[in-house]
Amino acid sequence: MATSENRGGIISYLYDHKWPIAVAFIVLLIVATVAFFFRPLLDGIVFGTFFAYVTRPIKDFLGKYTKHAPLLATFCILIPVLAIFSFAAVELRNQISWLSLHGDDALAQINEALLSLNVPAELIAQVNNVLMNLSQYAFAFAATIPLRDTFTSILLLGTNALVSIFVCYYLLKDGHKVVGTIMGLTPAKFQPAVSFFTVEADRILFGIYIGTFYTALFIAIMSAVLFFLFGVPYLALCTAFVFVAAMVPILSGMMVFIPVAAYLYIYRSPVVGILFFLSAIVFVYLPPDFIIRPYLINRASNIHPLLIIMSFIGGGLAGGISGFFAAPLAVGLLVAVYRTYLKYGESVGETVAPAKNA
């Protein structure tokens, strides 16, 4: 009997609220349609949001002197980043061209290095066979790459890069209007909770993104200085790799420093290789991960470091480049929702409490 009454109550409730439910369904359908068409531009939107957060301090500073602060702040960060990756792309292309023309010379240098380490001749022969097979496989794989799909991917990448610039600029310029619109659409009784959520989410994401970016920028600059002092070749390429690797907490470019140290150990001297590795640890690795990053990220966002590390790594593995930055965004929003519930959840549930006691 109670079940029939409950069913009747549910049907009656749906009938009495049919128009709000229909409007909500239509709104969700429109949002899903827009999200479907915007899906190819997800990388640009995520990167634009990331750049908007890391350039906001520059915009706030320049805003005291000029009304063009959002535009200047956008290019103050994007131009150096694009320059680094452009130099790295050119250097990588040059190295591929050099290997295609001087592959035998590179193989001879590797053999000399192995001989200097007293590696047995049989093992050297096996290494040569492996390298030859890898080179043949690489050329065969390159020949099978479809030109049409490659061109489409490059075009989409360029489009997302352009979208990220516009997203960054307009978030810096009109981000406060978005918050104002959300508050205007929110019923009055929910406005305190929504206001708290927006402020908390903004604070968390600002702490995560700005801490990550400026820590990686510090590591890249210090690495470039270290590479220059030790005469490491392909400085721009190595610096770009360090900058990308340093985006992940804890790793901080060590995946680049270890191969470079091994190169210096073999081709220069063991003392130079060891000295470079120790210098990288003392001046590049320890300060960011134990001083700069904890202060900027953990103190600003008040999120446990393990959760931040897992969000970056898990997002990169699951969603590629965009997931690498989208996962921390999702985690930050989830934490903001949780903290909003802790602060305002009881007031929302006051009408439910008497029924529970009864």
Side-chain angles (χ1 to χ4, degrees):
M1 189 68 179
T3 303
S4 300
E5 293 177 356
N6 291 336
R7 289 178 179 174
I10 293 174
I11 295 174
S12 176
Y13 178 84
L14 293 176
Y15 180 79
D16 294 338
H17 299 82
K18 57 181 179 297
W19 291 116
I21 293 174
V23 171
F25 177 77
I26 294 173
V27 170
L28 289 176
L29 183 62
I30 294 174
V31 170
T33 304
V34 172
F36 174 78
F37 288 111
F38 278 18
R39 185 170 54 89
L41 304 177
L42 178 62
D43 291 348
I45 295 172
V46 171
F47 273 105
T49 304
F50 170 73
F51 283 124
Y53 272 104
V54 301
T55 54
R56 195 169 67 183
I58 300 176
K59 188 265 295 186
D60 294 338
F61 174 77
L62 295 176
K64 303 175 184 177
Y65 307 100
T66 176
K67 63 180 181 180
H68 301 293
L71 182 63
L72 295 176
T74 300
F75 287 97
C76 280
I77 292 296
L78 290 180
I79 288 178
V81 172
L82 292 176
I84 290 175
F85 283 101
S86 297
F87 286 136
V90 172
E91 192 65 42
L92 184 62
R93 176 184 175 277
N94 292 336
Q95 295 310 309
I96 294 175
S97 300
W98 185 89
L99 284 175
S100 62
L101 298 174
H102 303 87
D104 295 336
D105 296 337
L107 187 60
Q109 292 179 3
I110 294 175
N111 290 333
E112 291 179 2
L114 294 176
L115 289 173
S116 64
L117 296 175
N118 297 322
V119 176
E122 295 81 3
L123 183 58
I124 294 177
Q126 293 179 2
V127 171
N128 290 334
N129 291 332
V130 171
L131 292 176
M132 291 297 295
N133 292 333
L134 287 176
S135 62
Q136 293 175 0
Y137 175 79
F139 285 118
F141 177 77
T144 60
I145 296 177
L147 295 178
R148 181 178 178 181
D149 293 343
T150 303
F151 177 78
T152 303
S153 300
I154 295 175
L155 182 62
L156 183 60
L157 180 63
T159 303
N160 276 289
L162 187 63
V163 168
S164 68
I165 296 175
F166 285 108
V167 170
C168 176
Y169 170 72
Y170 282 107
L171 282 179
L172 291 175
K173 182 176 180 292
D174 301 324
H176 62 283
K177 295 182 181 179
V178 176
V179 176
T181 302
I182 294 174
M183 294 301 298
L185 296 175
T186 303
K189 64 178 180 179
F190 296 116
Q191 286 186 359
V194 174
S195 177
F196 177 84
F197 167 76
T198 55
V199 172
E200 188 69 12
D202 181 73
R203 185 179 68 85
I204 291 173
L205 296 179
F206 180 79
I208 293 175
Y209 282 152
I210 199 170
T212 299
F213 181 83
Y214 284 113
T215 301
L217 192 61
F218 170 84
I219 293 173
I221 294 173
M222 294 299 295
S223 300
V225 173
L226 200 62
F227 293 151
F228 176 78
L229 292 177
F230 281 86
V232 176
Y234 320 125
L235 188 148
L237 183 61
C238 293
T239 302
F241 284 154
V242 169
F243 179 76
V244 174
M247 288 288 184
V248 182
I250 298 301
L251 295 181
S252 299
M254 291 306 293
M255 64 175 63
V256 180
F257 296 138
I258 292 176
V260 172
Y263 166 82
L264 295 175
Y265 184 93
I266 295 174
Y267 289 98
R268 302 285 176 82
S269 70
V271 175
V272 175
I274 295 174
L275 183 61
F276 170 83
F277 187 72
L278 293 178
S279 300
I281 292 177
V282 174
F283 296 106
V284 181
Y285 178 75
L286 293 180
D289 275 332
F290 292 94
I291 299 176
I292 301 176
R293 197 190 302 270
Y295 179 80
L296 292 177
I297 298 180
N298 302 335
R299 184 170 179 175
S301 63
N302 197 23
I303 299 179
H304 195 278
L306 179 61
L307 186 59
I308 297 175
I309 295 171
M310 293 180 64
S311 65
F312 273 103
I313 298 176
L317 294 175
I321 298 178
S322 61
F324 188 77
F325 296 97
L329 187 148
V331 170
L333 294 178
L334 182 62
V335 172
V337 169
Y338 172 71
R339 292 175 182 173
T340 304
Y341 174 77
L342 291 180
K343 187 174 180 63
Y344 292 95
E346 293 182 359
S347 61
V348 174
E350 283 178 354
T351 56
V352 183
K356 183 178 179 181
N357 294 334

PDB file of all heavy atoms in Angstrom, residues 234-257:
ATOM      1  N   TYR A 234      72.519  20.881 -28.012  1.00  0.00           N
ATOM      2  CA  TYR A 234      71.071  20.948 -28.201  1.00  0.00           C
ATOM      3  C   TYR A 234      70.388  21.554 -26.972  1.00  0.00           C
ATOM      4  O   TYR A 234      69.476  20.965 -26.381  1.00  0.00           O
ATOM      5  CB  TYR A 234      70.500  19.563 -28.509  1.00  0.00           C
ATOM      6  CG  TYR A 234      71.367  18.755 -29.421  1.00  0.00           C
ATOM      7  CD1 TYR A 234      71.797  17.479 -29.059  1.00  0.00           C
ATOM      8  CD2 TYR A 234      71.787  19.265 -30.648  1.00  0.00           C
ATOM      9  CE1 TYR A 234      72.617  16.738 -29.891  1.00  0.00           C
ATOM     10  CE2 TYR A 234      72.605  18.520 -31.483  1.00  0.00           C
ATOM     11  CZ  TYR A 234      73.016  17.265 -31.105  1.00  0.00           C
ATOM     12  OH  TYR A 234      73.824  16.543 -31.934  1.00  0.00           O
ATOM     13  N   LEU A 235      70.851  22.729 -26.584  1.00  0.00           N
ATOM     14  CA  LEU A 235      70.381  23.369 -25.357  1.00  0.00           C
ATOM     15  C   LEU A 235      68.881  23.627 -25.399  1.00  0.00           C
ATOM     16  O   LEU A 235      68.167  23.368 -24.421  1.00  0.00           O
ATOM     17  CB  LEU A 235      71.154  24.673 -25.140  1.00  0.00           C
ATOM     18  CG  LEU A 235      70.955  25.401 -23.812  1.00  0.00           C
ATOM     19  CD1 LEU A 235      72.237  26.111 -23.408  1.00  0.00           C
ATOM     20  CD2 LEU A 235      69.830  26.433 -23.913  1.00  0.00           C
ATOM     21  N   ALA A 236      68.376  24.155 -26.513  1.00  0.00           N
ATOM     22  CA  ALA A 236      66.953  24.481 -26.607  1.00  0.00           C
ATOM     23  C   ALA A 236      66.094  23.224 -26.513  1.00  0.00           C
ATOM     24  O   ALA A 236      65.059  23.209 -25.840  1.00  0.00           O
ATOM     25  CB  ALA A 236      66.666  25.218 -27.917  1.00  0.00           C
ATOM     26  N   LEU A 237      66.515  22.159 -27.180  1.00  0.00           N
ATOM     27  CA  LEU A 237      65.748  20.922 -27.161  1.00  0.00           C
ATOM     28  C   LEU A 237      65.708  20.329 -25.754  1.00  0.00           C
ATOM     29  O   LEU A 237      64.643  19.935 -25.263  1.00  0.00           O
ATOM     30  CB  LEU A 237      66.358  19.922 -28.136  1.00  0.00           C
ATOM     31  CG  LEU A 237      65.636  18.586 -28.309  1.00  0.00           C
ATOM     32  CD1 LEU A 237      64.239  18.811 -28.845  1.00  0.00           C
ATOM     33  CD2 LEU A 237      66.415  17.663 -29.227  1.00  0.00           C
ATOM     34  N   CYS A 238      66.856  20.279 -25.096  1.00  0.00           N
ATOM     35  CA  CYS A 238      66.904  19.730 -23.729  1.00  0.00           C
ATOM     36  C   CYS A 238      66.097  20.589 -22.762  1.00  0.00           C
ATOM     37  O   CYS A 238      65.411  20.070 -21.873  1.00  0.00           O
ATOM     38  CB  CYS A 238      68.349  19.629 -23.258  1.00  0.00           C
ATOM     39  SG  CYS A 238      69.346  18.416 -24.145  1.00  0.00           S
ATOM     40  N   THR A 239      66.154  21.914 -22.925  1.00  0.00           N
ATOM     41  CA  THR A 239      65.397  22.800 -22.036  1.00  0.00           C
ATOM     42  C   THR A 239      63.899  22.605 -22.212  1.00  0.00           C
ATOM     43  O   THR A 239      63.143  22.601 -21.235  1.00  0.00           O
ATOM     44  CB  THR A 239      65.769  24.269 -22.322  1.00  0.00           C
ATOM     45  OG1 THR A 239      67.178  24.443 -22.141  1.00  0.00           O
ATOM     46  CG2 THR A 239      65.032  25.200 -21.380  1.00  0.00           C
ATOM     47  N   ALA A 240      63.440  22.436 -23.456  1.00  0.00           N
ATOM     48  CA  ALA A 240      62.016  22.200 -23.703  1.00  0.00           C
ATOM     49  C   ALA A 240      61.571  20.883 -23.073  1.00  0.00           C
ATOM     50  O   ALA A 240      60.487  20.805 -22.474  1.00  0.00           O
ATOM     51  CB  ALA A 240      61.732  22.196 -25.202  1.00  0.00           C
ATOM     52  N   PHE A 241      62.395  19.843 -23.200  1.00  0.00           N
ATOM     53  CA  PHE A 241      62.058  18.566 -22.584  1.00  0.00           C
ATOM     54  C   PHE A 241      61.975  18.698 -21.056  1.00  0.00           C
ATOM     55  O   PHE A 241      61.081  18.124 -20.417  1.00  0.00           O
ATOM     56  CB  PHE A 241      63.085  17.513 -22.959  1.00  0.00           C
ATOM     57  CG  PHE A 241      62.931  16.995 -24.364  1.00  0.00           C
ATOM     58  CD1 PHE A 241      64.013  16.465 -25.060  1.00  0.00           C
ATOM     59  CD2 PHE A 241      61.712  17.029 -25.004  1.00  0.00           C
ATOM     60  CE1 PHE A 241      63.873  15.985 -26.347  1.00  0.00           C
ATOM     61  CE2 PHE A 241      61.550  16.561 -26.298  1.00  0.00           C
ATOM     62  CZ  PHE A 241      62.642  16.041 -26.968  1.00  0.00           C
ATOM     63  N   VAL A 242      62.908  19.440 -20.477  1.00  0.00           N
ATOM     64  CA  VAL A 242      62.887  19.640 -19.023  1.00  0.00           C
ATOM     65  C   VAL A 242      61.627  20.399 -18.608  1.00  0.00           C
ATOM     66  O   VAL A 242      60.993  20.066 -17.602  1.00  0.00           O
ATOM     67  CB  VAL A 242      64.153  20.403 -18.569  1.00  0.00           C
ATOM     68  CG1 VAL A 242      64.021  20.855 -17.122  1.00  0.00           C
ATOM     69  CG2 VAL A 242      65.376  19.520 -18.721  1.00  0.00           C
ATOM     70  N   PHE A 243      61.247  21.407 -19.383  1.00  0.00           N
ATOM     71  CA  PHE A 243      60.062  22.198 -19.057  1.00  0.00           C
ATOM     72  C   PHE A 243      58.805  21.328 -19.049  1.00  0.00           C
ATOM     73  O   PHE A 243      57.976  21.425 -18.144  1.00  0.00           O
ATOM     74  CB  PHE A 243      59.913  23.335 -20.059  1.00  0.00           C
ATOM     75  CG  PHE A 243      58.711  24.205 -19.818  1.00  0.00           C
ATOM     76  CD1 PHE A 243      58.705  25.140 -18.797  1.00  0.00           C
ATOM     77  CD2 PHE A 243      57.588  24.093 -20.618  1.00  0.00           C
ATOM     78  CE1 PHE A 243      57.609  25.936 -18.565  1.00  0.00           C
ATOM     79  CE2 PHE A 243      56.475  24.893 -20.398  1.00  0.00           C
ATOM     80  CZ  PHE A 243      56.484  25.821 -19.370  1.00  0.00           C
ATOM     81  N   VAL A 244      58.666  20.461 -20.055  1.00  0.00           N
ATOM     82  CA  VAL A 244      57.500  19.579 -20.116  1.00  0.00           C
ATOM     83  C   VAL A 244      57.530  18.563 -18.977  1.00  0.00           C
ATOM     84  O   VAL A 244      56.519  18.328 -18.297  1.00  0.00           O
ATOM     85  CB  VAL A 244      57.441  18.866 -21.478  1.00  0.00           C
ATOM     86  CG1 VAL A 244      56.320  17.836 -21.500  1.00  0.00           C
ATOM     87  CG2 VAL A 244      57.244  19.871 -22.599  1.00  0.00           C
ATOM     88  N   ALA A 245      58.695  17.953 -18.739  1.00  0.00           N
ATOM     89  CA  ALA A 245      58.797  16.947 -17.684  1.00  0.00           C
ATOM     90  C   ALA A 245      58.567  17.552 -16.312  1.00  0.00           C
ATOM     91  O   ALA A 245      58.001  16.906 -15.423  1.00  0.00           O
ATOM     92  CB  ALA A 245      60.172  16.277 -17.732  1.00  0.00           C
ATOM     93  N   ALA A 246      58.982  18.805 -16.107  1.00  0.00           N
ATOM     94  CA  ALA A 246      58.849  19.441 -14.799  1.00  0.00           C
ATOM     95  C   ALA A 246      57.409  19.784 -14.456  1.00  0.00           C
ATOM     96  O   ALA A 246      57.118  20.136 -13.307  1.00  0.00           O
ATOM     97  CB  ALA A 246      59.707  20.701 -14.744  1.00  0.00           C
ATOM     98  N   MET A 247      56.494  19.702 -15.433  1.00  0.00           N
ATOM     99  CA  MET A 247      55.089  19.928 -15.126  1.00  0.00           C
ATOM    100  C   MET A 247      54.542  18.866 -14.178  1.00  0.00           C
ATOM    101  O   MET A 247      53.577  19.093 -13.456  1.00  0.00           O
ATOM    102  CB  MET A 247      54.266  19.931 -16.414  1.00  0.00           C
ATOM    103  CG  MET A 247      54.462  21.156 -17.272  1.00  0.00           C
ATOM    104  SD  MET A 247      53.704  22.623 -16.567  1.00  0.00           S
ATOM    105  CE  MET A 247      54.024  23.800 -17.882  1.00  0.00           C
ATOM    106  N   VAL A 248      55.146  17.677 -14.186  1.00  0.00           N
ATOM    107  CA  VAL A 248      54.703  16.588 -13.327  1.00  0.00           C
ATOM    108  C   VAL A 248      55.416  16.716 -11.989  1.00  0.00           C
ATOM    109  O   VAL A 248      56.643  16.735 -11.951  1.00  0.00           O
ATOM    110  CB  VAL A 248      55.004  15.212 -13.944  1.00  0.00           C
ATOM    111  CG1 VAL A 248      54.483  14.099 -13.060  1.00  0.00           C
ATOM    112  CG2 VAL A 248      54.400  15.121 -15.332  1.00  0.00           C
ATOM    113  N   PRO A 249      54.673  16.823 -10.877  1.00  0.00           N
ATOM    114  CA  PRO A 249      55.343  16.897  -9.585  1.00  0.00           C
ATOM    115  C   PRO A 249      56.219  15.680  -9.329  1.00  0.00           C
ATOM    116  O   PRO A 249      55.956  14.578  -9.803  1.00  0.00           O
ATOM    117  CB  PRO A 249      54.164  16.940  -8.593  1.00  0.00           C
ATOM    118  CG  PRO A 249      53.020  17.453  -9.392  1.00  0.00           C
ATOM    119  CD  PRO A 249      53.220  16.938 -10.784  1.00  0.00           C
ATOM    120  N   ILE A 250      57.296  15.881  -8.593  1.00  0.00           N
ATOM    121  CA  ILE A 250      58.266  14.881  -8.164  1.00  0.00           C
ATOM    122  C   ILE A 250      59.277  14.581  -9.261  1.00  0.00           C
ATOM    123  O   ILE A 250      60.478  14.559  -9.011  1.00  0.00           O
ATOM    124  CB  ILE A 250      57.597  13.569  -7.690  1.00  0.00           C
ATOM    125  CG1 ILE A 250      56.709  13.866  -6.476  1.00  0.00           C
ATOM    126  CG2 ILE A 250      58.619  12.525  -7.332  1.00  0.00           C
ATOM    127  CD1 ILE A 250      57.412  14.460  -5.293  1.00  0.00           C
ATOM    128  N   LEU A 251      58.845  14.333 -10.521  1.00  0.00           N
ATOM    129  CA  LEU A 251      59.808  14.006 -11.580  1.00  0.00           C
ATOM    130  C   LEU A 251      60.750  15.178 -11.829  1.00  0.00           C
ATOM    131  O   LEU A 251      61.967  15.015 -11.849  1.00  0.00           O
ATOM    132  CB  LEU A 251      59.065  13.637 -12.863  1.00  0.00           C
ATOM    133  CG  LEU A 251      58.216  12.378 -12.808  1.00  0.00           C
ATOM    134  CD1 LEU A 251      57.556  12.141 -14.155  1.00  0.00           C
ATOM    135  CD2 LEU A 251      59.032  11.177 -12.403  1.00  0.00           C
ATOM    136  N   SER A 252      60.190  16.354 -12.048  1.00  0.00           N
ATOM    137  CA  SER A 252      60.949  17.611 -12.135  1.00  0.00           C
ATOM    138  C   SER A 252      62.142  17.545 -13.071  1.00  0.00           C
ATOM    139  O   SER A 252      63.224  18.036 -12.759  1.00  0.00           O
ATOM    140  CB  SER A 252      61.412  18.032 -10.740  1.00  0.00           C
ATOM    141  OG  SER A 252      60.310  18.239  -9.896  1.00  0.00           O
ATOM    142  N   GLY A 253      61.983  16.928 -14.182  1.00  0.00           N
ATOM    143  CA  GLY A 253      63.044  16.950 -15.180  1.00  0.00           C
ATOM    144  C   GLY A 253      64.153  15.953 -14.985  1.00  0.00           C
ATOM    145  O   GLY A 253      65.094  15.916 -15.785  1.00  0.00           O
ATOM    146  N   MET A 254      64.097  15.127 -13.930  1.00  0.00           N
ATOM    147  CA  MET A 254      65.179  14.166 -13.721  1.00  0.00           C
ATOM    148  C   MET A 254      65.241  13.142 -14.845  1.00  0.00           C
ATOM    149  O   MET A 254      66.294  12.554 -15.094  1.00  0.00           O
ATOM    150  CB  MET A 254      65.000  13.457 -12.385  1.00  0.00           C
ATOM    151  CG  MET A 254      65.226  14.346 -11.165  1.00  0.00           C
ATOM    152  SD  MET A 254      66.822  15.200 -11.176  1.00  0.00           S
ATOM    153  CE  MET A 254      67.939  13.811 -11.001  1.00  0.00           C
ATOM    154  N   MET A 255      64.129  12.927 -15.537  1.00  0.00           N
ATOM    155  CA  MET A 255      64.150  12.007 -16.670  1.00  0.00           C
ATOM    156  C   MET A 255      64.993  12.552 -17.819  1.00  0.00           C
ATOM    157  O   MET A 255      65.386  11.799 -18.712  1.00  0.00           O
ATOM    158  CB  MET A 255      62.718  11.736 -17.152  1.00  0.00           C
ATOM    159  CG  MET A 255      62.007  12.959 -17.689  1.00  0.00           C
ATOM    160  SD  MET A 255      60.379  12.560 -18.381  1.00  0.00           S
ATOM    161  CE  MET A 255      59.545  11.964 -16.933  1.00  0.00           C
ATOM    162  N   VAL A 256      65.277  13.858 -17.794  1.00  0.00           N
ATOM    163  CA  VAL A 256      66.179  14.449 -18.775  1.00  0.00           C
ATOM    164  C   VAL A 256      67.588  14.541 -18.220  1.00  0.00           C
ATOM    165  O   VAL A 256      68.569  14.301 -18.932  1.00  0.00           O
ATOM    166  CB  VAL A 256      65.675  15.842 -19.206  1.00  0.00           C
ATOM    167  CG1 VAL A 256      66.613  16.468 -20.237  1.00  0.00           C
ATOM    168  CG2 VAL A 256      64.267  15.755 -19.766  1.00  0.00           C
ATOM    169  N   PHE A 257      67.721  14.882 -16.955  1.00  0.00           N
ATOM    170  CA  PHE A 257      69.049  15.042 -16.358  1.00  0.00           C
ATOM    171  C   PHE A 257      69.838  13.735 -16.338  1.00  0.00           C
ATOM    172  O   PHE A 257      71.063  13.739 -16.538  1.00  0.00           O
ATOM    173  CB  PHE A 257      68.933  15.578 -14.930  1.00  0.00           C
ATOM    174  CG  PHE A 257      68.353  16.956 -14.854  1.00  0.00           C
ATOM    175  CD1 PHE A 257      67.428  17.283 -13.885  1.00  0.00           C
ATOM    176  CD2 PHE A 257      68.727  17.918 -15.765  1.00  0.00           C
ATOM    177  CE1 PHE A 257      66.891  18.548 -13.814  1.00  0.00           C
ATOM    178  CE2 PHE A 257      68.196  19.198 -15.709  1.00  0.00           C
ATOM    179  CZ  PHE A 257      67.273  19.511 -14.732  1.00  0.00           C
TER     180      PHE A 257
END
